[in-house]
Amino acid sequence: MIDLSGLDIAIIIALFVIILGIGFYVGKSAGKNTTQYFLSGRNMPWWLLGLSMVATTFSTDTPNLVTDIVRTNGVSGNWVWWAFLVTGLLTVFVYAKLWRKSEVKTDIEFYELRYGGAPARFLRGFRAIYLGIVFNVLAMAGVTLAAIKIGEVMLGLDPVTTVVVAGVITVVFSAIGGFKGVVYTDFILFFVAMAGAFGAAYYIVGMPEIGGLEALISHENVKDKINLLPDFNDTEMLITLLIIPLAVQWWSSWYPGSEPGGGGYVAQRMLAAKDENHAIGATFFYNIMHYALRPWPWILVALASLIVFPDLASIQEAFPNISEDKLGQDLAYSAMLTMLPSGLLGLVLASLSAAYMSTISTHLNWGASYVVNDVYAQQIKPDATEKELVAVGRITTVILMVISALIALALTNALQLFNIILMFGAGTGLIFILRWFWWRINAWTEISAMLASGVISILIEFTSLGETLFGASGMLPAYAKFPFVVFSSTLIWVVVTYLTQPETKETLYAFYRKTQPGGPGWKKIILQADQEQVNIIKTTEKWSVPMGIVAMLLGCVLIYGTLFTTGYFIYGQLTNALIGLSICVVSGGSLLTVWKKIKGKVL
């Protein structure tokens, strides 16, 4: 536990006052109607939405998760989430413009645009509850768990006190300010969070116990953890940490903020953009910051923690008041922050508060948008007034906060929750990619995939079947668990797709006319419409997806290259850093050329 100085307290209070002030200031305009409350009138610029995405994914559990990964599997263990860059850039260059063209209020509303009849209505309502409530509160619980651990380690607060204080402030400005309040406060929270993360890393690496970057990288406890790629001689680690994430995970699994084809709060921001180009610009900026630059201060603190707290026993010895059920490798990040001096400590605590509030406020507004737009207004009371819908949104915001807080009190570590959510979404991702470009996918495809991935994951995780298949003497190696769920779920939904009736031609015509997805997957529908003399094509432009995929690949080279180049400069490996920098320059120039062509196609 640390003692906060007057300066530290003043910095934290100032942040809270500013955040609450913004929430109250925009509350009046946000409450006019649901479009304002959940999308801010669809007039947001790319840079503001991009900063908001970065701030949202800079949550209190993220540095804890990265620390857990680095201490357990080394820096290369981060490929478990770095692989989602491919998903992110596919969203940027292929799906962002499609989402903006759809003009839906939530990505769940998309279901009744793409599909029709009772199955579509059921899917929309069920998916809204499944994602907006179940998955959403799990994600928020992970963030709140990190706040609990920070409160215990740094301030000596019991879990309930942390949850009440952090939750009340966040839920007040979230409920009052709506989406506009969330995005405006994200602008401030982004800079506070980044300043805190980089400031903490700079100070901690320079502490006498660490001795600077060179001493850190060469330390006995650290030198085996710094590799950016797994050991190619360790087959199991290579498959688990690199091959499965890059070959299977990025396209096959649904995860909040990294949905294949876009979705969730990322889709919410694309739908709030001024136009298609602003939607593309926002998501591209987000991916650069999220993957290439922001991880490094967390990684450096995690590596430094291996010197000061080499194992769990040392953490427990230093913080004996930590409850047994909250003890984990992720605590090392908070433990290191207790060594910061006055002023910087206040800034870092403010930055962690900012990270918490930004993420939770986004999840609250996003989840409430599902409940209001896709459940209440669609299934319960279709004739509800806009004022009533906004009121329901605010009430839902409070309820979601309470549920997630109660779950957080029962959790142990962030990596545990990350793996559970990842497993439950396995096998569904390919549908989210293909449903825009293959006419044959129907509502039953998505329903069967959702049920299959959930049921199979439960059987593997919580029954003897998992032990039989993947235990120490199981039929399959442990790293085959995720691909097994993906393959099984995919096989089921493909079979269901062909056994069930396709969507009606009227539904397919309307969807194509609205979004203009193009491609060979719609050839049959286009020919059918031509034969019936129904006009569903609004553009003469060539199909832009091939060029979008080229841009995605170039973007991956640029951002991964930036990630590696930054790492090599930090490690003092100048030759590798300069090679990486050259690759970044070439790929960046090539991407700029392709980007101009893509931008011209969506004007």
Side-chain angles (χ1 to χ4, degrees), residues 98 110 113-115 433-442 503-530 536-537 543 545:
L98 293 172
F110 169 88
L113 175 65
R114 175 62 177 84
Y115 312 123
I433 292 174
L434 293 179
R435 63 188 181 181
W436 293 89
F437 299 112
W438 185 27
W439 72 274
R440 190 60 181 82
I441 285 181
N442 59 33
E503 299 298 333
T504 64
K505 63 181 181 181
E506 290 78 14
T507 299
L508 296 173
Y509 289 172
F511 175 75
Y512 194 96
R513 189 180 295 114
K514 183 75 172 178
T515 62
Q516 300 292 294
W522 287 97
K523 185 176 180 180
K524 179 176 179 178
I525 301 304
I526 293 172
L527 289 175
Q528 182 177 318
D530 286 342
I536 63 173
I537 299 178
W543 193 39
V545 170

Side-chain angles (χ1 to χ4, degrees), residues 404-483:
S404 65
L406 292 175
I407 294 174
L409 294 172
L411 291 175
T412 302
N413 66 72
L415 189 58
Q416 165 195 21
L417 192 61
F418 176 87
N419 290 329
I420 290 174
I421 294 177
L422 198 64
M423 187 69 71
F424 269 70
T428 60
L430 189 58
I431 297 174
F432 305 142
I433 292 174
L434 293 179
R435 63 188 181 181
W436 293 89
F437 299 112
W438 185 27
W439 72 274
R440 190 60 181 82
I441 285 181
N442 59 33
W444 292 109
T445 306
E446 296 216 26
I447 293 171
S448 62
M450 183 171 53
L451 293 175
S453 63
V455 171
I456 294 171
S457 296
I458 290 172
L459 290 175
I460 289 176
E461 290 292 319
F462 305 108
T463 71
S464 59
L465 177 62
E467 187 67 25
T468 301
L469 291 175
F470 306 103
S473 58
M475 299 167 59
L476 297 169
Y479 58 73
K481 185 185 295 185
F482 182 82

